Amino acid sequence: RYFSAFSDRRVVLEAFRASVGSDVSEFAARIPQRTLLIAADKDDITPVEAQYRLRALFPDARLYVIPNVGHLIHYEVPAEAAEQLRRFLDEAASA
């Protein structure tokens, strides 16, 4: 349903190659800004254990794990993900 919104097949292929060609762990140590990672405990592509390892690579990161959700958090529970992001940004604004 969502992937049909790509403009053409070339764009889908580019997105796929980008998604499997590298990941944020290659760059995490060089990201000094506070970072929020949102993960799902039913993710069959990136297990929660890998998310905890990723968090440790950042100088300053927080990990929020959403229960009973799969890989596509932004489609499955967008309101909950947005709420966590709002809280994270509010904390930064009040600091």
Side-chain angles (χ1 to χ4, degrees), residues 5 9 39-40 50-51 66 73 79 89 91 94-95:
R9 288 180 176 203
Q51 298 292 352
I66 301 176
I73 294 168
L89 295 173
E91 288 173 14
S94 65

Side-chain angles (χ1 to χ4, degrees), residues 17-90:
R17 285 183 178 147
S19 73
V20 299
S22 62
D23 66 71
V24 71
S25 68
E26 299 171 40
F27 309 98
R30 298 188 309 235
I31 300 174
Q33 294 81 9
R34 284 179 66 241
T35 303
L36 174 64
L37 304 172
I38 301 176
D41 74 344
K42 303 289 185 202
D43 190 333
D44 56 354
I45 296 174
T46 308
V48 172
E49 297 79 21
Q51 298 292 352
Y52 281 104
R53 288 192 302 274
L54 175 63
R55 181 189 66 187
L57 298 176
F58 283 87
D60 185 8
R62 173 172 300 144
L63 174 63
Y64 179 77
V65 179
I66 301 176
N68 303 311
V69 175
H71 184 72
L72 299 175
I73 294 168
H74 54 296
Y75 295 134
E76 295 179 51
V77 288
E80 185 171 357
E83 177 58 27
Q84 291 308 313
L85 183 54
R86 265 192 294 279
R87 287 181 185 181
F88 181 77
L89 295 173
D90 287 347

Side-chain angles (χ1 to χ4, degrees), residues 2-23 45 71-72 74-75:
Y2 298 104
F3 296 103
S4 64
F6 284 94
S7 62
D8 58 47
R9 288 180 176 203
R10 179 188 55 79
V11 174
V12 173
L13 182 57
E14 287 177 13
F16 173 76
R17 285 183 178 147
S19 73
V20 299
S22 62
D23 66 71
I45 296 174
H71 184 72
L72 299 175
H74 54 296
Y75 295 134

